[in-house]
Amino acid sequence: CEQLSLINRQGVARVLRRWKGIPLVDTVTPTDEEALAADLDLSGNASLFHLVCLANTPGGIDRLRNWLLHPADPQTIAARQPAVAEFGPLLENRQELHRRGLKLAAGKMDPGRFLRWAEGEQWLAKRPWLAWATRCLPVLILLFVVLGATETLPASAWMIPFFANLVLGFVFCGEMHAIFGSISSRHGEIREFAALFELVGETPCTSAELLRLQRRTADGGVSACRRIDLLGRIMDLANLRFSSMAYMMVQSLTSWDFHVLTLLERWQRRNGRHVRRWFEALGEWEALASLASLAHDNPSWVYPTVE
């Protein structure tokens, strides 16, 4: 409720052009193009971008900025206008999109790093010996404990696979944790993306452009929301690394990180090629929502006919 109250206060500030009450989204490093845009009040403080932008993901912010800086052809404009007109009255839906996006804006996840991982090579798959070793060592630990208890082997025999497991974890944990960090931090921002994709899929719409974006987030009948949510559940397992005592015990006995990475790479094989399309569609959705908010707040403004 506090977030929605803040969003509405900022909406009032937009209508009244009270610039100090409107958050200014940080954009890219200034270029000649950006400098010209600032001259024309397209970007920067008290600019058109400052007034319009309600996007929170880097993709949405960049998409809206590019729309303002570069001309679109008449066909593209004609496709966007019905989408903006339909999206305008969906006030609660747009505000919920903005509210969910604020959680991402406050986090430290870099979608670019996540995209590079999703489309990149699989780290563990390139090391099949390591995958097999970390599957076998926990079994050997258990087996040697049982054999030691029955005095078939010396009682300390289990220490051999245990220390081998410990060494592998110590040597490779840095690389694996870097992979985990490229997907999501301990705050679980990847689950917030699932919430955004869920809202995109649930929005009632009939305009061709909005329907096109919805289809781009639902490949093969399975929505991006469900696939990202599954990834979030796997990352919940990876977050055991932030519980130092429990993590050390579980990792040294079970090769925990390696098994989590196996699940992540299985997800990567099935979904990695779709991720860029999902995030591009989400960025366009946020940009359209920003324009729709401008149209909603200024009902007397017109939609020009472009020839």
Side-chain angles (χ1 to χ4, degrees):
C1 288
E2 290 175 354
Q3 287 177 322
L4 290 172
S5 175
L6 173 63
I7 289 170
N8 278 282
R9 290 198 301 273
Q10 292 173 352
V12 172
R14 281 186 163 83
V15 172
L16 299 177
R17 307 296 190 266
R18 293 176 179 167
W19 300 106
K20 291 184 179 180
I22 308 172
L24 178 59
V25 178
D26 188 24
T27 57
V28 295
T29 304
T31 62
D32 290 342
E33 187 178 63
E34 288 282 344
L36 178 60
D39 254 0
L40 299 174
D41 288 332
L42 294 179
S43 65
N45 185 56
S47 66
L48 182 60
F49 182 80
H50 190 181
L51 175 67
V52 174
C53 186
L54 289 169
N56 290 290
T57 69
I61 294 168
D62 289 344
R63 182 58 59 110
L64 180 62
R65 186 186 69 248
N66 288 334
W67 283 1
L68 296 182
L69 294 182
H70 303 105
D73 58 74
Q75 292 77 17
T76 300
I77 296 172
R80 285 179 191 158
Q81 287 183 342
V84 171
E86 183 178 24
F87 217 165
L90 302 179
L91 177 62
E92 292 186 4
N93 183 285
R94 286 187 287 99
Q95 290 192 340
E96 180 62 15
L97 181 74
H98 186 44
R99 188 192 69 79
R100 295 184 187 186
L102 286 174
K103 292 185 178 182
L104 282 167
K108 297 181 179 180
M109 179 187 173
D110 179 5
R113 288 183 65 199
F114 171 60
L115 185 60
R116 287 191 293 274
W117 168 77
E119 296 179 338
E121 293 184 336
Q122 297 178 351
W123 184 86
L124 191 58
K126 291 175 60 179
R127 298 165 175 83
W129 67 270
L130 185 58
W132 280 107
T134 51
R135 291 169 190 163
C136 295
L137 285 172
V139 177
L140 289 177
I141 292 173
L142 179 61
L143 178 63
F144 282 18
V145 167
V146 172
L147 293 176
T150 60
E151 299 184 353
T152 306
L153 287 177
S156 60
W158 68 275
M159 298 292 287
I160 299 173
F162 174 81
F163 278 112
N165 206 30
L166 201 62
V167 168
L168 288 178
F170 178 77
V171 170
F172 294 107
C173 71
E175 293 178 83
M176 290 188 292
H177 291 181
I179 294 172
F180 296 161
S182 68
I183 300 170
S184 186
S185 77
R186 67 187 304 169
H187 302 294
E189 292 93 349
I190 197 68
R191 300 292 282 272
E192 304 303 333
F193 274 109
L196 286 175
F197 284 117
E198 178 184 35
L199 196 61
V200 170
E202 292 177 349
T203 301
C205 57
T206 58
S207 66
E209 189 69 1
L210 293 181
L211 289 173
R212 179 184 69 84
L213 295 176
Q214 284 185 333
R215 286 193 297 270
R216 293 192 74 184
T217 62
D219 297 298
V222 181
S223 68
C225 166
R226 289 178 56 186
R227 299 186 191 195
I228 295 290
D229 185 63
L230 173 60
L231 182 61
R233 292 201 297 272
I234 299 173
M235 286 307 301
D236 288 342
L237 302 177
N239 287 344
L240 180 67
R241 69 191 188 277
F242 298 119
S243 302
S244 55
M245 293 302 296
Y247 168 73
M248 287 299 297
M249 182 180 298
V250 174
Q251 171 64 22
S252 58
L253 290 172
T254 68
S255 303
W256 182 263
D257 285 344
F258 294 95
H259 303 314
V260 172
L261 187 55
T262 297
L263 295 175
L264 288 173
E265 292 191 352
R266 183 181 302 166
W267 188 97
Q268 184 186 13
R269 283 194 301 273
R270 294 174 177 174
N271 304 293
R273 65 185 183 279
H274 303 301
V275 170
R276 182 178 296 274
R277 185 160 58 248
W278 296 344
F279 279 80
E280 287 176 350
L282 178 61
E284 288 189 57
W285 192 272
E286 281 193 300
L288 288 171
S290 296
L291 296 176
S293 295
L294 184 72
H296 175 270
D297 293 345
N298 300 275
S300 64
W301 290 12
V302 300
Y303 291 84
T305 300
V306 180
E307 296 179 354

